[in-house]
Amino acid sequence: SRLKDNINNNIRELVYLITREMTSREDKKEKWAKFKNENNAALRELLGMPEGSGNRVGDLVGFDIHPEENLILLNYTSQAHNILHEIEGGWTPALRAMRGLVYSFGKNLEDIQLVSRGFDKFFNQSELPETSVSALYERCGDEKLICREKADGHMVEIFIHEDRLFATTRGKFGTLSAQQAMRMMNRAQWIKADLVARSLKQELMTLVVELITPESEVHVDYNGKETMFLLAAFDKAGSQIHDALLPDIVGTLPELFSLPDSVFMTLDEIFADVQDRNVENKEGWVVNCQGMLVKFKYETYIGKMVADKLSYKYIMCIVPAWYICSI
């Protein structure tokens, strides 16, 4: 996937709008509430929100400012999750892209440049009309699809900015998971990974990993294992580098990275697999359905989520109807 020019330009305009008034966390605390109200129309336009998507567009956007660097991290909010599923076209391309986007900023629009990115937001099977069972079969038929095991930890982006190594989770700078990733990886290892990319005429911007440590576990028990599953690499233009690069990076840094298990399955085989209640201690699969990523979770994992008393609304968003009816 690539961060398209028009989306990047709109988000840069959004960053410029924000950072003309707020350049620190303290500024955000003092000014964000008022800013959202005063700039609602501009936020609506820059995010490409459809008519009828509510009057408080700023509530869909979250950001964090690095305490030491002129870096801003953009992310959609929990409020976006609560309301956008009900609005046709509510999850706009700009909002989907804002899943841990990091930009540098300065005094001028020209200073605002993409520094790091992760995956665009993607959804669970049956979470949106585009991932309904019928839509998936229409899109993918009986093709064999690449399915990568979904590790159950915390997603972390690792990147270089002004010759310094950074790590961040998608919502905030300085989280425990970001700190753990920085303890596990150093700048010399980044340079090794970048050299692998450069040998294939690519220049790394971001490595996206799923951090697995005892503190980052959610429901899957990794028995104290510490590793980083390498999920994706993005180049300086914000385009995803071909997955064929990932095994080469893991092979160069096996003490640091692992690859998630991957298999080829048809949709029929995927549905049969995730409904197998004999499968324990696994979250599910991320499936590439003709260029669209879709999450499939095991029934047994969903059972753990339900038992963990997640909100009814959230469960209804991510749990397939066939499972709700079976419990």
PDB file of all heavy atoms in Angstrom, residues 21-44:
ATOM      1  N   GLU A  21      -0.792  26.282  16.234  1.00  0.00           N
ATOM      2  CA  GLU A  21      -1.272  26.674  17.564  1.00  0.00           C
ATOM      3  C   GLU A  21      -0.755  25.784  18.682  1.00  0.00           C
ATOM      4  O   GLU A  21      -0.682  26.218  19.830  1.00  0.00           O
ATOM      5  CB  GLU A  21      -2.807  26.654  17.586  1.00  0.00           C
ATOM      6  CG  GLU A  21      -3.437  27.692  16.683  1.00  0.00           C
ATOM      7  CD  GLU A  21      -4.920  27.853  16.967  1.00  0.00           C
ATOM      8  OE1 GLU A  21      -5.330  27.689  18.126  1.00  0.00           O
ATOM      9  OE2 GLU A  21      -5.656  28.140  16.003  1.00  0.00           O
ATOM     10  N   MET A  22      -0.407  24.537  18.366  1.00  0.00           N
ATOM     11  CA  MET A  22      -0.026  23.579  19.406  1.00  0.00           C
ATOM     12  C   MET A  22       1.259  22.870  18.999  1.00  0.00           C
ATOM     13  O   MET A  22       1.285  22.169  17.982  1.00  0.00           O
ATOM     14  CB  MET A  22      -1.152  22.557  19.620  1.00  0.00           C
ATOM     15  CG  MET A  22      -2.394  23.159  20.240  1.00  0.00           C
ATOM     16  SD  MET A  22      -3.836  22.051  20.157  1.00  0.00           S
ATOM     17  CE  MET A  22      -4.371  22.330  18.458  1.00  0.00           C
ATOM     18  N   THR A  23       2.309  23.060  19.790  1.00  0.00           N
ATOM     19  CA  THR A  23       3.593  22.427  19.479  1.00  0.00           C
ATOM     20  C   THR A  23       4.138  21.629  20.662  1.00  0.00           C
ATOM     21  O   THR A  23       5.307  21.260  20.676  1.00  0.00           O
ATOM     22  CB  THR A  23       4.636  23.488  19.051  1.00  0.00           C
ATOM     23  OG1 THR A  23       4.787  24.441  20.114  1.00  0.00           O
ATOM     24  CG2 THR A  23       4.214  24.196  17.776  1.00  0.00           C
ATOM     25  N   SER A  24       3.280  21.386  21.656  1.00  0.00           N
ATOM     26  CA  SER A  24       3.691  20.602  22.819  1.00  0.00           C
ATOM     27  C   SER A  24       2.457  19.925  23.405  1.00  0.00           C
ATOM     28  O   SER A  24       1.313  20.295  23.104  1.00  0.00           O
ATOM     29  CB  SER A  24       4.350  21.487  23.879  1.00  0.00           C
ATOM     30  OG  SER A  24       3.387  22.356  24.460  1.00  0.00           O
ATOM     31  N   ARG A  25       2.687  18.958  24.291  1.00  0.00           N
ATOM     32  CA  ARG A  25       1.571  18.308  24.978  1.00  0.00           C
ATOM     33  C   ARG A  25       0.820  19.301  25.862  1.00  0.00           C
ATOM     34  O   ARG A  25      -0.396  19.210  26.020  1.00  0.00           O
ATOM     35  CB  ARG A  25       2.097  17.130  25.810  1.00  0.00           C
ATOM     36  CG  ARG A  25       2.529  15.944  24.972  1.00  0.00           C
ATOM     37  CD  ARG A  25       3.208  14.870  25.803  1.00  0.00           C
ATOM     38  NE  ARG A  25       3.445  13.656  25.028  1.00  0.00           N
ATOM     39  CZ  ARG A  25       4.177  12.631  25.458  1.00  0.00           C
ATOM     40  NH1 ARG A  25       4.741  12.689  26.672  1.00  0.00           N
ATOM     41  NH2 ARG A  25       4.346  11.556  24.696  1.00  0.00           N
ATOM     42  N   GLU A  26       1.558  20.245  26.426  1.00  0.00           N
ATOM     43  CA  GLU A  26       0.916  21.260  27.275  1.00  0.00           C
ATOM     44  C   GLU A  26      -0.030  22.133  26.448  1.00  0.00           C
ATOM     45  O   GLU A  26      -1.143  22.458  26.883  1.00  0.00           O
ATOM     46  CB  GLU A  26       1.970  22.133  27.954  1.00  0.00           C
ATOM     47  CG  GLU A  26       2.794  21.429  29.022  1.00  0.00           C
ATOM     48  CD  GLU A  26       3.772  20.392  28.438  1.00  0.00           C
ATOM     49  OE1 GLU A  26       4.197  20.556  27.268  1.00  0.00           O
ATOM     50  OE2 GLU A  26       4.079  19.417  29.161  1.00  0.00           O
ATOM     51  N   ASP A  27       0.417  22.501  25.251  1.00  0.00           N
ATOM     52  CA  ASP A  27      -0.449  23.272  24.359  1.00  0.00           C
ATOM     53  C   ASP A  27      -1.727  22.494  24.056  1.00  0.00           C
ATOM     54  O   ASP A  27      -2.826  23.055  24.020  1.00  0.00           O
ATOM     55  CB  ASP A  27       0.266  23.573  23.038  1.00  0.00           C
ATOM     56  CG  ASP A  27       1.348  24.621  23.181  1.00  0.00           C
ATOM     57  OD1 ASP A  27       1.364  25.333  24.198  1.00  0.00           O
ATOM     58  OD2 ASP A  27       2.179  24.719  22.253  1.00  0.00           O
ATOM     59  N   LYS A  28      -1.566  21.193  23.800  1.00  0.00           N
ATOM     60  CA  LYS A  28      -2.732  20.371  23.468  1.00  0.00           C
ATOM     61  C   LYS A  28      -3.747  20.392  24.611  1.00  0.00           C
ATOM     62  O   LYS A  28      -4.953  20.554  24.388  1.00  0.00           O
ATOM     63  CB  LYS A  28      -2.303  18.942  23.149  1.00  0.00           C
ATOM     64  CG  LYS A  28      -3.467  18.030  22.789  1.00  0.00           C
ATOM     65  CD  LYS A  28      -3.021  16.592  22.601  1.00  0.00           C
ATOM     66  CE  LYS A  28      -4.235  15.696  22.348  1.00  0.00           C
ATOM     67  NZ  LYS A  28      -3.876  14.272  22.248  1.00  0.00           N
ATOM     68  N   LYS A  29      -3.265  20.219  25.839  1.00  0.00           N
ATOM     69  CA  LYS A  29      -4.166  20.229  26.995  1.00  0.00           C
ATOM     70  C   LYS A  29      -4.937  21.541  27.098  1.00  0.00           C
ATOM     71  O   LYS A  29      -6.128  21.565  27.409  1.00  0.00           O
ATOM     72  CB  LYS A  29      -3.370  20.008  28.289  1.00  0.00           C
ATOM     73  CG  LYS A  29      -2.883  18.584  28.490  1.00  0.00           C
ATOM     74  CD  LYS A  29      -2.076  18.482  29.767  1.00  0.00           C
ATOM     75  CE  LYS A  29      -1.477  17.094  29.938  1.00  0.00           C
ATOM     76  NZ  LYS A  29      -0.587  17.016  31.119  1.00  0.00           N
ATOM     77  N   GLU A  30      -4.265  22.634  26.808  1.00  0.00           N
ATOM     78  CA  GLU A  30      -4.881  23.953  26.973  1.00  0.00           C
ATOM     79  C   GLU A  30      -5.805  24.329  25.815  1.00  0.00           C
ATOM     80  O   GLU A  30      -6.832  24.990  26.019  1.00  0.00           O
ATOM     81  CB  GLU A  30      -3.789  25.029  27.087  1.00  0.00           C
ATOM     82  CG  GLU A  30      -2.969  24.948  28.367  1.00  0.00           C
ATOM     83  CD  GLU A  30      -1.823  25.956  28.360  1.00  0.00           C
ATOM     84  OE1 GLU A  30      -1.835  26.862  27.489  1.00  0.00           O
ATOM     85  OE2 GLU A  30      -0.928  25.835  29.201  1.00  0.00           O
ATOM     86  N   LYS A  31      -5.464  23.893  24.586  1.00  0.00           N
ATOM     87  CA  LYS A  31      -6.094  24.496  23.403  1.00  0.00           C
ATOM     88  C   LYS A  31      -6.907  23.542  22.533  1.00  0.00           C
ATOM     89  O   LYS A  31      -7.695  24.005  21.699  1.00  0.00           O
ATOM     90  CB  LYS A  31      -5.007  25.143  22.522  1.00  0.00           C
ATOM     91  CG  LYS A  31      -4.212  26.223  23.229  1.00  0.00           C
ATOM     92  CD  LYS A  31      -3.127  26.777  22.311  1.00  0.00           C
ATOM     93  CE  LYS A  31      -2.297  27.854  23.001  1.00  0.00           C
ATOM     94  NZ  LYS A  31      -1.230  28.379  22.102  1.00  0.00           N
ATOM     95  N   TRP A  32      -6.730  22.226  22.681  1.00  0.00           N
ATOM     96  CA  TRP A  32      -7.308  21.287  21.710  1.00  0.00           C
ATOM     97  C   TRP A  32      -8.825  21.363  21.690  1.00  0.00           C
ATOM     98  O   TRP A  32      -9.449  21.370  20.625  1.00  0.00           O
ATOM     99  CB  TRP A  32      -6.808  19.882  21.994  1.00  0.00           C
ATOM    100  CG  TRP A  32      -7.346  18.774  21.117  1.00  0.00           C
ATOM    101  CD1 TRP A  32      -7.877  17.597  21.528  1.00  0.00           C
ATOM    102  CD2 TRP A  32      -7.350  18.705  19.684  1.00  0.00           C
ATOM    103  NE1 TRP A  32      -8.223  16.806  20.463  1.00  0.00           N
ATOM    104  CE2 TRP A  32      -7.907  17.470  19.310  1.00  0.00           C
ATOM    105  CE3 TRP A  32      -6.948  19.593  18.679  1.00  0.00           C
ATOM    106  CZ2 TRP A  32      -8.079  17.077  17.987  1.00  0.00           C
ATOM    107  CZ3 TRP A  32      -7.117  19.207  17.338  1.00  0.00           C
ATOM    108  CH2 TRP A  32      -7.671  17.967  17.007  1.00  0.00           C
ATOM    109  N   ALA A  33      -9.476  21.413  22.843  1.00  0.00           N
ATOM    110  CA  ALA A  33     -10.945  21.428  22.883  1.00  0.00           C
ATOM    111  C   ALA A  33     -11.495  22.627  22.115  1.00  0.00           C
ATOM    112  O   ALA A  33     -12.427  22.497  21.301  1.00  0.00           O
ATOM    113  CB  ALA A  33     -11.430  21.439  24.326  1.00  0.00           C
ATOM    114  N   LYS A  34     -10.946  23.786  22.357  1.00  0.00           N
ATOM    115  CA  LYS A  34     -11.398  24.994  21.667  1.00  0.00           C
ATOM    116  C   LYS A  34     -11.060  24.924  20.186  1.00  0.00           C
ATOM    117  O   LYS A  34     -11.878  25.286  19.327  1.00  0.00           O
ATOM    118  CB  LYS A  34     -10.742  26.224  22.306  1.00  0.00           C
ATOM    119  CG  LYS A  34     -11.188  27.543  21.700  1.00  0.00           C
ATOM    120  CD  LYS A  34     -10.482  28.723  22.369  1.00  0.00           C
ATOM    121  CE  LYS A  34     -10.899  30.037  21.718  1.00  0.00           C
ATOM    122  NZ  LYS A  34     -10.127  31.180  22.254  1.00  0.00           N
ATOM    123  N   PHE A  35      -9.867  24.429  19.877  1.00  0.00           N
ATOM    124  CA  PHE A  35      -9.411  24.327  18.481  1.00  0.00           C
ATOM    125  C   PHE A  35     -10.372  23.467  17.670  1.00  0.00           C
ATOM    126  O   PHE A  35     -10.727  23.802  16.535  1.00  0.00           O
ATOM    127  CB  PHE A  35      -7.999  23.734  18.466  1.00  0.00           C
ATOM    128  CG  PHE A  35      -7.440  23.503  17.097  1.00  0.00           C
ATOM    129  CD1 PHE A  35      -6.652  24.462  16.482  1.00  0.00           C
ATOM    130  CD2 PHE A  35      -7.687  22.316  16.405  1.00  0.00           C
ATOM    131  CE1 PHE A  35      -6.124  24.252  15.212  1.00  0.00           C
ATOM    132  CE2 PHE A  35      -7.167  22.100  15.139  1.00  0.00           C
ATOM    133  CZ  PHE A  35      -6.392  23.075  14.541  1.00  0.00           C
ATOM    134  N   LYS A  36     -10.789  22.332  18.228  1.00  0.00           N
ATOM    135  CA  LYS A  36     -11.679  21.408  17.506  1.00  0.00           C
ATOM    136  C   LYS A  36     -12.981  22.105  17.121  1.00  0.00           C
ATOM    137  O   LYS A  36     -13.491  21.922  16.010  1.00  0.00           O
ATOM    138  CB  LYS A  36     -11.993  20.181  18.377  1.00  0.00           C
ATOM    139  CG  LYS A  36     -10.866  19.206  18.516  1.00  0.00           C
ATOM    140  CD  LYS A  36     -11.302  17.916  19.202  1.00  0.00           C
ATOM    141  CE  LYS A  36     -11.655  18.120  20.659  1.00  0.00           C
ATOM    142  NZ  LYS A  36     -11.942  16.823  21.334  1.00  0.00           N
ATOM    143  N   ASN A  37     -13.527  22.883  18.037  1.00  0.00           N
ATOM    144  CA  ASN A  37     -14.779  23.574  17.763  1.00  0.00           C
ATOM    145  C   ASN A  37     -14.604  24.661  16.702  1.00  0.00           C
ATOM    146  O   ASN A  37     -15.447  24.818  15.817  1.00  0.00           O
ATOM    147  CB  ASN A  37     -15.344  24.193  19.041  1.00  0.00           C
ATOM    148  CG  ASN A  37     -15.813  23.142  20.030  1.00  0.00           C
ATOM    149  OD1 ASN A  37     -16.223  22.055  19.639  1.00  0.00           O
ATOM    150  ND2 ASN A  37     -15.748  23.464  21.315  1.00  0.00           N
ATOM    151  N   GLU A  38     -13.519  25.404  16.806  1.00  0.00           N
ATOM    152  CA  GLU A  38     -13.315  26.537  15.897  1.00  0.00           C
ATOM    153  C   GLU A  38     -12.931  26.094  14.488  1.00  0.00           C
ATOM    154  O   GLU A  38     -13.135  26.847  13.528  1.00  0.00           O
ATOM    155  CB  GLU A  38     -12.234  27.462  16.454  1.00  0.00           C
ATOM    156  CG  GLU A  38     -12.659  28.188  17.722  1.00  0.00           C
ATOM    157  CD  GLU A  38     -11.552  29.068  18.287  1.00  0.00           C
ATOM    158  OE1 GLU A  38     -10.395  28.924  17.842  1.00  0.00           O
ATOM    159  OE2 GLU A  38     -11.862  29.892  19.170  1.00  0.00           O
ATOM    160  N   ASN A  39     -12.361  24.896  14.343  1.00  0.00           N
ATOM    161  CA  ASN A  39     -11.859  24.447  13.045  1.00  0.00           C
ATOM    162  C   ASN A  39     -12.612  23.235  12.510  1.00  0.00           C
ATOM    163  O   ASN A  39     -12.092  22.494  11.685  1.00  0.00           O
ATOM    164  CB  ASN A  39     -10.368  24.120  13.158  1.00  0.00           C
ATOM    165  CG  ASN A  39      -9.517  25.338  13.424  1.00  0.00           C
ATOM    166  OD1 ASN A  39      -9.153  26.065  12.503  1.00  0.00           O
ATOM    167  ND2 ASN A  39      -9.206  25.573  14.689  1.00  0.00           N
ATOM    168  N   ASN A  40     -13.857  23.092  12.955  1.00  0.00           N
ATOM    169  CA  ASN A  40     -14.631  21.907  12.577  1.00  0.00           C
ATOM    170  C   ASN A  40     -14.782  21.765  11.063  1.00  0.00           C
ATOM    171  O   ASN A  40     -14.615  20.679  10.504  1.00  0.00           O
ATOM    172  CB  ASN A  40     -16.011  21.950  13.239  1.00  0.00           C
ATOM    173  CG  ASN A  40     -16.710  20.611  13.178  1.00  0.00           C
ATOM    174  OD1 ASN A  40     -16.252  19.639  13.751  1.00  0.00           O
ATOM    175  ND2 ASN A  40     -17.823  20.563  12.456  1.00  0.00           N
ATOM    176  N   ALA A  41     -15.087  22.872  10.388  1.00  0.00           N
ATOM    177  CA  ALA A  41     -15.300  22.822   8.936  1.00  0.00           C
ATOM    178  C   ALA A  41     -14.014  22.431   8.207  1.00  0.00           C
ATOM    179  O   ALA A  41     -14.040  21.617   7.276  1.00  0.00           O
ATOM    180  CB  ALA A  41     -15.809  24.172   8.437  1.00  0.00           C
ATOM    181  N   ALA A  42     -12.891  23.000   8.639  1.00  0.00           N
ATOM    182  CA  ALA A  42     -11.612  22.659   7.999  1.00  0.00           C
ATOM    183  C   ALA A  42     -11.245  21.204   8.250  1.00  0.00           C
ATOM    184  O   ALA A  42     -10.769  20.509   7.344  1.00  0.00           O
ATOM    185  CB  ALA A  42     -10.507  23.581   8.532  1.00  0.00           C
ATOM    186  N   LEU A  43     -11.485  20.717   9.468  1.00  0.00           N
ATOM    187  CA  LEU A  43     -11.193  19.314   9.780  1.00  0.00           C
ATOM    188  C   LEU A  43     -12.058  18.387   8.924  1.00  0.00           C
ATOM    189  O   LEU A  43     -11.573  17.379   8.407  1.00  0.00           O
ATOM    190  CB  LEU A  43     -11.440  19.041  11.263  1.00  0.00           C
ATOM    191  CG  LEU A  43     -10.485  19.719  12.246  1.00  0.00           C
ATOM    192  CD1 LEU A  43     -10.976  19.534  13.681  1.00  0.00           C
ATOM    193  CD2 LEU A  43      -9.076  19.161  12.100  1.00  0.00           C
ATOM    194  N   ARG A  44     -13.332  18.746   8.758  1.00  0.00           N
ATOM    195  CA  ARG A  44     -14.228  17.933   7.937  1.00  0.00           C
ATOM    196  C   ARG A  44     -13.706  17.828   6.503  1.00  0.00           C
ATOM    197  O   ARG A  44     -13.684  16.761   5.902  1.00  0.00           O
ATOM    198  CB  ARG A  44     -15.635  18.534   7.946  1.00  0.00           C
ATOM    199  CG  ARG A  44     -16.645  17.785   7.086  1.00  0.00           C
ATOM    200  CD  ARG A  44     -18.007  18.478   7.108  1.00  0.00           C
ATOM    201  NE  ARG A  44     -18.559  18.477   8.444  1.00  0.00           N
ATOM    202  CZ  ARG A  44     -19.175  17.434   8.997  1.00  0.00           C
ATOM    203  NH1 ARG A  44     -19.295  16.303   8.312  1.00  0.00           N
ATOM    204  NH2 ARG A  44     -19.660  17.508  10.209  1.00  0.00           N
TER     205      ARG A  44
END
